[in-house]
Amino acid sequence: MFKALFVLFIIVPIIEIALLIQVSDVIGGWSTIALVILTAFIGAKLVKQQGISALQNAQLQMAQGQMPTNELLAGVCIIIAGVLLLTPGIMTDIFGLLLLVPAVRAKLASQLGKNAQMKMGSQNSGFYYQQHSQQQSNVYESEEYTEIRSERISKTNSTIEGEFQRKE
């Protein structure tokens, strides 16, 4: 965990600064700033379009009674792409734009799904399935329950008449 945070907060910004300096040497400082701002606007628009599309596809699959696993994973990729595109920098913009390509996103989502299934399959969740045999009786079909239930039904069929007055 420490290594991931170290890379995220130390190494990535150093690489981003170095790339921004190199790009600004080639195309100029103001052009580099304009490029970063332009990619943020274009990325936000693409993330909004594809996010709405992924949400609609997920709702459609849920309406059909299917689990929208690929759409949910694609939605996570779209959210990550949005964060990367709004983060100033060249490298994060490239990774963010790659996540917005449907083929790359589908491949990544399938890999994430396989990894999740492998991890879930290897863990012992503690749940088990027990099939009841015909010899075990159902509590709600026993004679005692039927008698008690019939007594309650007969008692509830009688109406109590009277008047109601509120005491203040």
Side-chain angles (χ1 to χ4, degrees):
M1 184 69 173
F2 175 74
K3 289 180 182 180
L5 290 175
F6 181 76
V7 168
L8 184 66
F9 290 115
I10 304 297
I11 302 297
V12 171
I14 290 172
I15 294 171
E16 288 290 357
I17 291 169
L19 282 173
L20 287 171
I21 291 171
Q22 288 180 352
V23 170
S24 68
D25 285 344
V26 174
I27 64 172
W30 292 109
S31 299
T32 304
I33 292 171
L35 178 68
V36 169
I37 292 171
L38 182 68
T39 56
F41 280 122
I42 292 172
K45 184 174 177 119
L46 288 173
V47 166
K48 181 180 177 184
Q49 283 178 333
Q50 292 187 12
I52 290 171
S53 174
L55 179 64
Q56 289 172 345
N57 289 339
Q59 288 176 340
L60 179 67
Q61 281 198 343
M62 285 190 291
Q64 293 172 351
Q66 300 172 351
M67 183 65 177
T69 53
N70 288 339
E71 282 72 19
L72 292 176
L73 291 173
V76 169
C77 289
I78 291 169
I79 291 171
I80 293 170
V83 169
L84 290 174
L85 285 166
L86 292 176
T87 302
I90 306 295
M91 185 178 69
T92 55
D93 289 344
I94 291 170
F95 286 131
L97 288 173
L98 280 175
L99 282 176
L100 290 179
V101 175
V104 174
R105 193 171 58 233
K107 181 73 174 168
L108 184 64
S110 68
Q111 285 297 107
L112 288 174
K114 287 178 185 176
N115 288 343
Q117 285 178 351
M118 287 175 44
K119 285 184 180 181
M120 289 175 63
S122 67
Q123 294 177 353
N124 186 4
S125 63
F127 293 105
Y128 61 92
Y129 174 74
Q130 181 180 3
Q131 186 174 358
H132 295 287
S133 65
Q134 292 292 342
Q135 295 172 353
Q136 293 176 338
S137 64
N138 188 348
V139 173
Y140 298 109
E141 293 175 359
S142 68
E143 291 179 23
E144 292 176 22
Y145 179 78
T146 308
E147 289 175 13
I148 293 170
R149 186 169 175 240
S150 63
E151 288 176 15
R152 287 184 182 166
I153 290 173
S154 65
K155 288 181 180 178
T156 57
N157 287 341
S158 59
T159 305
I160 300 174
E161 293 186 28
E163 293 182 17
F164 174 76
Q165 286 183 334
R166 180 171 294 207
K167 293 184 179 180
E168 295 184 26

